[in-house]
Amino acid sequence: TRAAMRDDGADYATCAKQAAEIVATGAVPDEATVDQINLVPDAYRGLDRFEARDRIVSAINAEGLAVTVTNDEGEQVPLVEKKKIMQPFGDRSNVVIEPMLTDQWFCDAETLAKPAIAAVESGATTFVPGNWDKTYFEWMRNIEPWCISRQLWWGHRIPVWYGPDGEIFCAKTENLALEAAEAHYGSRVSLTRDPDVLDTWFSSALWPFSTLGWPEETQALQRHYKTDVLVTGFDIIFFWVARMMMMGLHFMEDETGAPEVPFHTVYIHALVRDEKGQKMSKSKGNVIDPLELIDSYGADALRFTLTAMAAQGRDIKLAKSRVEGYRNFATKIWNAARFAEMNECVSVDGFDPASATQTINVWIRGETERTAAAVTKAIEEYRFNEAAGAAYDFVWGQFCDWYLELIKPVLNGSDADAIKETRAMVGWTFDQILKLLHPFMPFVTEELWERMADGGASREAMLVLSEWPQLSGLQKPEADAEIGWAVRLISEIRSVRSEMNVPAGARIPLHIIGGDETAQQRLATHGETIKRLARLETIVHGDAAPEGSANLVVDGTDVALPLAGVIDMAAERDRLSKEITKANDEIAKIDNKLSNAKFVERAPAHVVEENRERRAGFEDQVTRLSAALERLQNAA
């Protein structure tokens, strides 16, 4: 419209009507006409944009075309609108960024997307967690033409050359473009290559096969393509994952000639946030530098922390205290290795765990089998937090805290066969532990793998090259029941002592009320170990619990801990009652918040989640304290 006004001097309304008719009829002028009527006036050509604007404003004011208002002095002044304009600036140059229309190259993304959509629909490629395929489909089913050219200084050049008259020649190489141009013009001509480079995501989309030697049929390409699992973030499902799918299906084929996807699984990992659940940001000052964590706690501790917290569909709330806790886990593993070394427990070549006869050794081999199965299943299902949790519970809880304690009487005894078997079982079990932990903690496990060899000899291969544990037939219910009973009895006694503030140094008797033959046999075998680990003075049998006792039931066996005279029963009941009341008050406060719709709606998500976690903690506290109070009331 403005161009028409300039050309024929017609008023704005007339020219606007003409422009509207052109658009409505589709009679859009050709490119040459558009170029002609949109010429920049000579007076403004070659000027810096800011200088050109100043001159244009001056010209408008000179012709009296500016919108003016009357100021307080009665003068006519230009109207200045008081509103903010969102103006972007370059982060390096600090210069205003403004659009400039240029010719761009586009890709027919809709055509490329159809096979990629079908591949996920058919299950040829799956997302983990599965709900992320919705994001993928949302992008792909509403895809627009893909602008693949960029005005950057580096990258893959657009494979387009121009002839002297602007004719376009698209070819894989410059020689092919020259041949096409010669065929077109009838003689050899000079060509100019398009200065643009391919979009970064376009180049990245070729990654799965271009890095393996494609387009040549290399050995690496034949062996490694297609790949297995792509691990990436949700924010680039469209920018990278979808584009790799499109390119892979377009360029690559399997042995039958059918289009082939670049990977069979896309694992979408969690986003690492701060301990309050907020996204890390330099402006907030809550960024955690992983290199600093590694310097402080070690790479293994950081790796295990991230793995243990990587639940599907949930972001990671990372805190230094969590990394410190798993640093202690690494220390626990190292100390267990030192215990084994001091007691001459090493990996014995040819040892068969199925040959073990000692109940404690039969129990640990069964627990090892169960743990290996749980870790393997969790890894195969991409539930890495569950895999780490299963390994952690077994290593710290069952192996270090129980097995190594329960075998001390055996190692210090006089039965040579039992000692030999136990030493070999410790070595075998520790080998399985190192294998199971290696994906999460590769450095400490590789170091200990070499140190724990038979007689200090070198291993045949590094741990990373060893076979993954595939155990079966090692479990025995009778051993599980016997050792499990002893473990639960000791745990219950420790819990009562802790909840009722029994002094750590106090040695108290344990009364077995009744007790069947099985319980009697187990006490005969493990009595001294139970006394040592539960800090008991004696274990006696009786028909009734002494007055002032805390009563327990462990697997059908009634036991009593006489606490009268050891603690102030009345004061302890009062303390427990106050603690329960305090915890219930906290639960009521949190319930009041969470029942407020405005609070849940307006409060940050991490605050709401934090309140729910605190409520669960207080509920657990009330349950434990109430059980302890009930025992004291019954003892009265």
Side-chain angles (χ1 to χ4, degrees):
T1 301
R2 296 185 185 278
M5 288 177 65
R6 191 186 68 211
D7 282 357
D8 59 19
D11 63 273
Y12 184 86
T14 300
C15 293
K17 183 177 179 181
Q18 293 174 354
E21 290 175 352
I22 291 174
V23 173
T25 59
V28 180
D30 58 29
E31 187 174 345
T33 304
V34 172
D35 287 341
Q36 183 179 4
I37 66 176
N38 280 286
L39 290 175
V40 175
D42 293 339
Y44 303 111
R45 291 186 187 182
L47 294 180
D48 177 85
R49 52 184 161 160
F50 299 111
E51 182 181 354
R53 287 171 186 168
D54 289 340
R55 292 192 183 186
I56 291 171
V57 171
S58 298
I60 290 173
N61 289 330
E63 296 184 24
L65 299 176
V67 177
T68 60
V69 293
T70 304
N71 63 14
D72 295 338
E73 286 74 29
E75 300 172 332
Q76 292 295 311
V77 296
L79 173 64
V80 178
E81 294 180 297
K82 295 182 179 180
K83 64 178 181 180
K84 292 183 178 180
I85 299 176
M86 299 304 294
Q87 184 72 68
F89 291 82
D91 60 347
R92 294 178 177 83
S93 64
N94 204 33
V95 173
V96 175
I97 298 175
E98 301 183 63
M100 181 175 69
L101 296 179
T102 59
D103 292 332
Q104 304 289 322
W105 288 96
F106 286 79
C107 183
D108 182 4
E110 184 178 359
T111 299
L112 289 174
K114 290 177 181 177
I117 293 171
V120 176
E121 289 176 333
S122 68
T125 295
T126 58
F127 281 83
V128 178
N131 60 295
W132 285 112
D133 62 4
K134 296 181 178 63
T135 301
Y136 176 83
F137 288 136
E138 181 65 25
W139 278 105
M140 298 294 274
R141 289 169 179 162
N142 297 283
I143 201 165
E144 299 288 343
W146 174 12
C147 179
I148 60 171
S149 59
R150 294 291 183 271
Q151 295 71 54
L152 301 175
W153 288 106
W154 62 276
H156 292 139
R157 289 282 293 274
I158 294 286
V160 170
W161 288 261
Y162 299 99
D165 57 356
E167 184 69 25
I168 298 172
F169 301 94
C170 182
K172 289 184 177 180
T173 66
E174 185 174 9
N175 286 336
L176 291 176
L178 288 169
E179 291 176 7
E182 186 175 1
H184 175 77
Y185 292 111
S187 61
R188 197 77 167 177
V189 296
S190 296
L191 299 179
T192 303
R193 190 168 184 177
D194 196 300
D196 285 1
V197 299
L198 288 169
D199 169 26
T200 301
W201 294 115
F202 186 99
S203 299
S204 300
L206 309 175
W207 176 268
F209 45 89
S210 64
T211 54
L212 300 175
W214 178 87
E216 302 297 328
E217 286 292 334
T218 64
Q219 185 177 1
L221 185 65
Q222 293 175 356
R223 178 178 180 182
H224 297 294
Y225 193 89
K226 63 181 177 184
T227 58
D228 292 324
V229 182
L230 172 71
V231 180
T232 188
F234 70 90
D235 50 340
I236 55 174
I237 287 177
F238 175 69
F239 295 103
W240 193 28
V241 178
R243 285 165 165 78
M244 284 192 284
M245 288 286 289
M246 290 190 289
M247 292 299 183
L249 288 163
H250 183 77
F251 288 111
M252 303 302 295
E253 297 177 346
D254 61 18
E255 58 275 5
T256 67
E260 188 170 29
V261 294
F263 27 73
H264 61 67
T265 301
V266 180
Y267 177 78
I268 303 299
H269 63 68
L271 182 67
V272 180
R273 299 179 179 272
D274 70 8
E275 58 187 306
K276 295 182 179 179
Q278 299 186 66
K279 192 171 182 179
M280 292 187 188
S281 168
K282 290 182 180 179
S283 60
K284 292 180 181 179
N286 63 342
V287 175
I288 300 177
D289 187 342
L291 294 180
E292 292 181 3
L293 293 177
I294 291 172
D295 288 341
S296 300
Y297 307 110
D300 281 330
L302 178 58
R303 286 171 60 100
F304 198 89
T305 302
L306 296 176
T307 306
M309 300 178 71
Q312 288 187 14
R314 297 188 62 181
D315 289 340
I316 294 174
K317 296 179 182 178
L318 184 61
K320 290 184 178 180
S321 58
R322 296 296 296 267
V323 184
E324 183 178 6
Y326 288 118
R327 186 273 311 274
N328 297 339
F329 178 51
T331 302
K332 188 81 169 179
I333 299 168
W334 192 268
N335 288 339
R338 292 182 62 190
F339 172 87
E341 183 180 37
M342 288 188 295
N343 287 277
E344 302 178 41
C345 304
V346 295
S347 176
V348 177
D349 188 34
F351 173 71
D352 181 6
S355 66
T357 58
Q358 297 291 310
T359 302
I360 186 63
N361 293 329
V362 174
W363 170 73
I364 197 62
R365 79 186 186 192
E367 293 296 330
T368 305
E369 179 185 326
R370 274 187 286 271
T371 301
V375 173
T376 301
K377 183 175 184 292
I379 290 177
E380 289 175 345
E381 295 177 352
Y382 305 101
R383 300 184 181 278
F384 302 118
N385 62 310
E386 295 180 10
Y392 179 91
D393 291 343
F394 172 70
V395 174
W396 192 304
Q398 293 164 301
F399 182 76
C400 293
D401 283 356
W402 290 113
Y403 179 65
L404 296 185
E405 287 294 333
L406 294 172
I407 64 173
K408 286 180 179 178
V410 178
L411 295 175
N412 295 326
S414 57
D415 189 333
D417 290 337
I419 293 173
K420 181 179 180 181
E421 176 190 296
T422 301
R423 286 173 173 170
M425 183 60 74
V426 172
W428 175 84
T429 305
F430 204 83
D431 273 3
Q432 311 316 305
I433 287 173
L434 295 178
K435 291 178 181 181
L436 294 173
L437 287 176
H438 189 67
F440 317 123
M441 310 178 80
F443 303 107
V444 66
T445 53
E446 193 72 69
E447 174 75 11
L448 291 176
W449 174 259
E450 180 65 26
R451 288 172 176 250
M452 293 290 288
D454 186 6
S458 298
R459 302 272 191 175
E460 291 183 2
M462 294 178 65
L463 175 58
V464 70
L465 300 176
S466 65
E467 292 186 5
W468 183 255
Q470 297 180 353
L471 311 176
S472 63
L474 299 179
Q475 300 180 48
K476 191 173 182 180
E478 295 83 358
D480 295 341
E482 180 176 330
I483 302 301
W485 177 86
V487 167
R488 285 187 289 275
L489 177 59
I490 296 169
S491 299
E492 287 291 336
I493 296 171
R494 287 175 171 176
S495 179
V496 169
R497 295 181 65 117
S498 174
E499 291 169 356
M500 298 187 180
N501 281 340
V502 176
R507 297 277 176 173
I508 56 179
L510 175 70
H511 287 252
I512 306 297
I513 312 305
D516 57 16
E517 184 178 349
T518 300
Q520 300 290 345
Q521 291 175 348
R522 290 171 177 173
L523 283 169
T525 303
H526 305 288
E528 290 302 314
T529 299
I530 294 172
K531 286 168 59 177
R532 176 171 57 88
L533 297 180
R535 295 185 180 180
L536 300 175
E537 183 180 20
T538 58
I539 299 178
V540 297
H541 300 273
D543 297 327
E547 186 177 349
S549 296
N551 300 319
L552 309 170
V553 179
V554 179
D555 294 358
T557 303
D558 294 325
V559 299
L561 290 169
L563 297 179
V566 179
I567 62 173
D568 186 331
M569 306 286 279
E572 193 59 27
R573 282 194 294 269
D574 184 57
R575 182 188 70 82
L576 290 172
S577 296
K578 289 180 179 178
E579 290 291 332
I580 292 171
T581 300
K582 183 178 178 181
N584 280 323
D585 288 344
E586 292 296 329
I587 291 174
K589 291 178 183 178
I590 296 173
D591 284 343
N592 187 47
K593 283 184 179 180
L594 296 178
S595 62
N596 186 335
K598 290 185 178 179
F599 170 78
V600 176
E601 180 182 346
R602 296 176 181 178
H606 73 274
V607 174
V608 176
E609 181 64 23
E610 182 181 331
N611 275 273
R612 287 173 177 156
E613 291 175 356
R614 289 181 63 242
R615 189 188 190 285
F618 284 122
E619 276 190 330
D620 180 64
Q621 185 178 349
V622 169
T623 300
R624 290 186 293 101
L625 295 176
S626 297
L629 181 60
E630 184 178 358
R631 292 193 187 101
L632 278 179
Q633 290 171 339
N634 292 337

